[in-house]
Amino acid sequence: MQWANFLAKEAATTRLSFEQMAAFVNYFKTENLSKTEAQLASELNVDIPTFKKLIGELYDKFAQNYPELAISNSQGKLEKLQAYLSAKYNSELDVLKPLAAMKLLKSLVVRERLQQEAWVARRICKFLGYSPLALELVGRYLDKMPNLSLETLLKLLEKKREEHEAVVNADSLMDYEYGVAEAFELSWEQLDENAKSFGCLLSLCALADIPLSVETVEDEKKRELNEKAIADLLELHLLQQKSQGLYHLNSLIRQLFRIKLDNSNEADEAKTKFAAMMLEVAKLIPQQLNPEDILNFTPHIPHITEVATHLFQYLGDENIITLFTKLAWFYQGQGLYQQAEFCLQQCVKLTQNHLGLEHSYVAASLNNLAGLYESTGRYSEAEPLYRQALELRKRLLGNNHLDVATSLNNLALLYESTGRYSEAGPLFEQALKVRKRLLGEEHPDVATNVSYLALVYESTGRYSKAESLYQQALELWKRLVGEEHPHVATSLNNLGALYCYIGRYSEAEPLLKQALKLRKRLLGEEHPDVATSLNNLGQLYESTGRYSEAEPFYKQALELTKRLLGDNHPDVAISLNNLAALYRHTRRYRKAKPLFEQALKICEQTLGVSHPTTMTVRANYANFLRETYH
């Protein structure tokens, strides 16, 4: 199949519109790859903005079908698509020269066997279109059939082609690759039912490496069946092992297994099973990722995305939100906000299309997307979504519902972040009343709400009220969960930070030390909350002029945050800013300048230029520059 035909096939598979298809095929034609956008737009008889819009739309279309593209960075998207399509084309349709094909077959089949029927061997290579994959499949098949003559093999292949052509002619939309399909059919007949079912299940995976770990299967009999199925598929080259626990399923083999599955009576059962498997993996993704989490979950992400994109109907409605939310956590936890946004936007669209506009799960998906926008400083985009979610929940659930309280809190937190304290306070108070009414005075959500309200009082200078509420929250947490609990540590930290802010340093220090000690004991040395406590103690010592004591705390916080979250996370930027400010105060300007610059760069790249944290870092850097250049 030629490249142009391959492009047409991909366009049809991706269900591009007529305009998108024309732009796609034209853009990726070999002879057009060096042309400018203006030249390509002219050939399509559209202006440049329209052409760019078409190209953007078609990329998004492909991203829906191929998860590897959905997680691409914004830069070089089309170049990545070109590389992806080229790799797929070569892996599917690459052919050998006749002599090279014979050499490959000789490496797979006993030499004497080929020598006896050398002419037939050459005919088999030609029949298979000199496809390396088809030759590999046939070679493995012959190895299992030592008494089968090559002449008989050729007749079997010809029979399989006749059977397939009859099916293809009856269904003009069916895609068919000559050579590989016939060889696959012979291999299929060698598999037992267990291996067939396993291969069909694998066909539901994304076009990416597949992590398979039979050791995690508790049922011994099931584990043995899985091990045998993998071994059988490997033996026939229907599956390849790339490394320990990581396998590759060729895209054509995947397609042929999928056809077998879709034509069976087990399709719905297999899709339900696969969707459930991926959901269970997704549920394990934590909101706060460490490097080990990223390493462990990365191989699973394309397959979880495949379920979210193509098999969501095999999940319960509530699980659709769970799947997309967990995917968003995976990206957001690494500072990959664009990818997280894509997941949450898809969740909104899917729930609206699937459930209608008036549904509580639509409100939940709107709320989640708003939360992402808020965390990245896109407050003007977050607010209408939070409002929409709140109003929808009120209409569907009434004013006296816990989900309504959650929405009230979320909108209030947005207002608090943007300094709109007069609007935040009443919303926090409403949420607190709802929660007290429904949950009683002694409940974790009530304690959390009390802390939120204290935050507003602290931000508006009503420090005595804030102190009283922080103390209430602390005592409530102690009664609810005991003295030894992370929530108690957080409350100690909040109260200590308030005392530090208003200059009551002698009262702040023991609370902040107690919070750090408790967090280390309960959460371990390697935890983001520990880094927060280290930073807070550093700020206390800096505020009291104890710079030599502040510096090691800032350095520990910075190194810990880098280890946990990577070098380009907003929390790293905050630690860099703190350490730079300390160096500024101690007139170590050469050390301060690169830290300020790093902090500002990270903030602008991850949070955007208008985020409050970015503006704070920028202001600190500007003050530093003014101070050092005068």
Side-chain angles (χ1 to χ4, degrees):
M1 183 185 294
Q2 297 301 311
W3 174 249
N5 292 335
F6 173 80
L7 291 177
K9 167 193 159 186
E10 287 293 310
T13 303
T14 312
R15 297 185 178 89
L16 300 181
S17 68
F18 178 79
E19 293 81 4
Q20 290 168 342
M21 187 179 297
F24 168 70
V25 174
N26 202 54
Y27 189 95
F28 289 106
K29 278 182 182 176
T30 304
E31 63 270 22
N32 286 344
L33 292 177
S34 61
K35 292 183 179 178
T36 66
E37 286 185 343
Q39 289 172 319
L40 293 170
S42 176
E43 290 179 13
L44 287 170
N45 199 29
V46 296
D47 56 26
I48 292 178
T50 302
F51 178 77
K52 286 183 175 181
K53 182 173 181 289
L54 285 170
I55 293 297
E57 289 173 349
L58 73 87
Y59 186 90
D60 291 341
K61 278 273 194 176
F62 273 91
Q64 292 174 22
N65 281 333
Y66 301 126
E68 300 91 328
L69 298 174
I71 62 176
S72 171
N73 291 325
S74 58
Q75 294 84 4
K77 277 188 172 183
L78 292 173
E79 289 79 0
K80 180 164 184 176
L81 179 56
Q82 162 71 14
Y84 179 84
L85 292 173
S86 297
K88 185 179 178 188
Y89 173 78
N90 289 329
S91 67
E92 287 187 16
L93 308 171
D94 192 23
V95 296
L96 300 172
K97 299 291 185 182
L99 287 177
M102 275 297 292
K103 185 176 180 180
L104 175 59
L105 193 57
K106 286 177 182 178
S107 71
L108 299 168
V109 182
V110 177
R111 180 178 294 273
E112 291 75 16
R113 196 171 178 186
L114 287 183
Q115 287 175 340
Q116 292 170 5
E117 300 180 89
W119 176 246
V120 181
R122 286 193 286 273
R123 288 171 60 198
I124 289 173
C125 290
K126 183 178 181 180
F127 181 89
L128 296 175
Y130 306 108
S131 161
L133 176 58
L135 288 164
E136 186 80 42
L137 293 175
V138 162
R140 299 295 184 93
Y141 177 78
L142 285 170
D143 192 47
K144 287 182 67 75
M145 307 285 286
N147 298 319
L148 184 70
S149 71
L150 298 189
E151 185 68 42
T152 303
L153 171 66
L154 182 57
K155 288 179 179 177
L156 289 173
L157 289 169
E158 289 170 343
K159 183 180 179 183
K160 293 299 178 188
R161 178 161 297 179
E162 289 174 4
E163 293 171 357
H164 270 286
E165 285 181 333
V167 176
V168 171
N169 291 334
D171 184 358
S172 60
L173 296 177
M174 179 177 286
D175 188 42
Y176 178 67
E177 296 297 338
Y178 289 102
V180 175
E182 296 90 349
F184 172 83
E185 283 299 324
L186 295 182
S187 302
W188 173 263
E189 292 173 355
Q190 292 293 306
L191 299 173
D192 62 19
E193 290 303 316
N194 174 55
K196 287 178 179 178
S197 295
F198 197 84
C200 288
L201 190 68
L202 292 182
S203 74
L204 297 170
C205 292
L207 285 167
D209 292 335
I210 304 170
L212 295 173
S213 179
V214 294
E215 291 83 5
T216 59
V217 180
E218 295 182 2
D219 185 276
E220 185 177 351
K221 184 177 180 181
K222 187 177 180 181
R223 184 167 63 249
E224 290 175 355
L225 287 172
N226 287 351
E227 287 174 345
K228 184 179 183 304
I230 292 171
D232 290 346
L233 294 172
L234 289 172
E235 185 180 15
L236 287 168
H237 197 66
L238 295 170
L239 185 69
Q240 293 86 49
Q241 185 168 12
K242 296 195 70 176
S243 60
Q244 184 65 34
L246 200 63
Y247 297 83
H248 173 71
L249 186 66
N250 179 276
S251 59
L252 283 178
I253 300 299
R254 173 181 180 264
Q255 179 183 339
L256 292 164
F257 269 126
R258 181 70 68 86
I259 291 170
K260 290 290 186 185
L261 177 63
D262 289 340
N263 289 334
S264 74
N265 295 323
E266 302 174 358
D268 286 340
E269 180 183 348
K271 291 173 182 178
T272 301
K273 177 182 177 182
F274 181 73
M277 288 166 55
M278 291 300 99
L279 175 65
E280 291 308 307
V281 175
K283 284 179 177 179
L284 299 175
I285 298 174
Q287 191 163 10
Q288 293 288 340
L289 294 167
N290 58 42
E292 186 178 358
D293 292 326
I294 296 168
L295 184 67
N296 290 336
F297 285 108
T298 293
H300 297 278
I301 294 302
H303 311 294
I304 295 172
T305 305
E306 182 75 11
V307 171
T309 307
H310 298 298
L311 299 174
F312 62 86
Q313 63 270 39
Y314 293 94
L315 296 167
D317 292 336
E318 71 282 0
N319 292 330
I320 293 174
I321 292 179
T322 299
L323 206 65
F324 278 104
T325 301
K326 292 291 188 174
L327 282 170
W329 284 5
F330 175 78
Y331 295 123
Q332 191 171 354
Q334 302 172 69
L336 301 172
Y337 298 112
Q338 183 180 7
Q339 292 89 329
E341 180 183 1
F342 179 85
C343 293
L344 296 176
Q345 285 176 337
Q346 290 299 107
C347 187
V348 171
K349 291 178 184 176
L350 195 58
T351 51
Q352 287 178 336
N353 293 337
H354 188 57
L355 303 171
L357 298 180
E358 295 287 313
H359 197 283
S360 59
Y361 293 153
V362 172
S365 63
L366 289 167
N367 180 76
N368 292 342
L369 181 57
L372 175 69
Y373 288 152
E374 180 186 3
S375 69
T376 52
R378 295 160 65 179
Y379 301 120
S380 63
E381 294 173 82
E383 183 177 351
L385 295 181
Y386 273 145
R387 285 184 171 279
Q388 195 177 342
L390 174 60
E391 294 307 317
L392 184 53
R393 281 172 165 168
K394 282 182 175 179
R395 284 199 304 276
L396 295 170
L397 306 171
N399 292 334
N400 197 34
H401 195 279
L402 292 176
D403 286 351
V404 171
T406 298
S407 277
L408 287 166
N409 267 325
N410 290 339
L411 187 56
L413 284 168
L414 172 69
Y415 291 152
E416 193 279 332
S417 299
T418 52
R420 295 159 66 179
Y421 305 118
S422 62
E423 294 172 86
L427 295 180
F428 278 136
E429 289 170 354
Q430 288 178 50
L432 182 58
K433 285 180 182 178
V434 172
R435 283 178 166 171
K436 282 184 175 180
R437 188 160 54 242
L438 295 175
L439 302 172
E441 299 278 344
E442 303 280 313
H443 192 277
D445 288 351
V446 171
T448 300
N449 228 131
V450 169
S451 295
Y452 287 158
L453 196 54
L455 183 63
V456 171
Y457 289 145
E458 179 182 354
S459 300
T460 52
R462 290 176 283 180
Y463 302 123
S464 60
K465 284 191 173 183
E467 179 184 4
S468 175
L469 289 178
Y470 278 139
Q471 288 173 339
Q472 284 181 45
L474 175 60
E475 294 307 314
L476 183 51
W477 278 122
K478 285 180 178 180
R479 290 197 301 275
L480 290 169
V481 296
E483 301 272 348
E484 297 282 311
H485 195 279
H487 289 325
V488 172
T490 298
S491 284
L492 289 166
N493 178 78
N494 290 343
L495 188 57
L498 170 68
Y499 288 155
C500 183
Y501 184 75
I502 59 178
R504 293 163 62 178
Y505 301 119
S506 61
E507 294 171 87
E509 186 171 356
L511 294 175
L512 293 176
K513 281 185 172 180
Q514 191 180 346
L516 175 61
K517 187 177 179 180
L518 193 54
R519 281 172 164 171
K520 283 184 175 181
R521 189 163 64 245
L522 297 173
L523 305 172
E525 301 276 345
E526 302 282 310
H527 194 279
D529 288 354
V530 172
T532 299
S533 280
L534 290 167
N535 257 322
N536 287 345
L537 274 166
Q539 287 175 332
L540 170 70
Y541 294 140
E542 182 182 2
S543 299
T544 53
R546 295 152 68 182
Y547 300 124
S548 61
E549 292 176 78
E551 184 173 353
F553 280 98
Y554 278 149
K555 284 183 173 179
Q556 288 177 55
L558 175 59
E559 293 307 313
L560 178 56
T561 307
K562 281 184 175 180
R563 281 200 304 275
L564 294 173
L565 304 174
D567 291 342
N568 295 308
H569 195 279
D571 288 356
V572 171
I574 292 171
S575 282
L576 287 166
N577 175 80
N578 292 343
L579 186 57
L582 175 67
Y583 288 151
R584 174 193 169 197
H585 291 148
T586 53
R587 298 183 179 277
R588 288 178 281 176
Y589 299 128
R590 288 185 179 179
K591 286 189 172 184
K593 189 173 188 290
L595 299 184
F596 274 131
E597 289 173 345
Q598 287 178 50
L600 183 58
K601 183 179 179 181
I602 292 170
C603 286
E604 289 180 343
Q605 288 180 344
T606 59
L607 300 175
V609 295
S610 300
H611 193 279
T613 300
T614 305
M615 291 190 286
T616 298
V617 173
R618 188 184 298 114
N620 291 343
Y621 184 38
N623 291 334
F624 164 79
L625 291 175
R626 279 193 292 272
E627 180 179 314
T628 54
Y629 282 99
H630 278 80

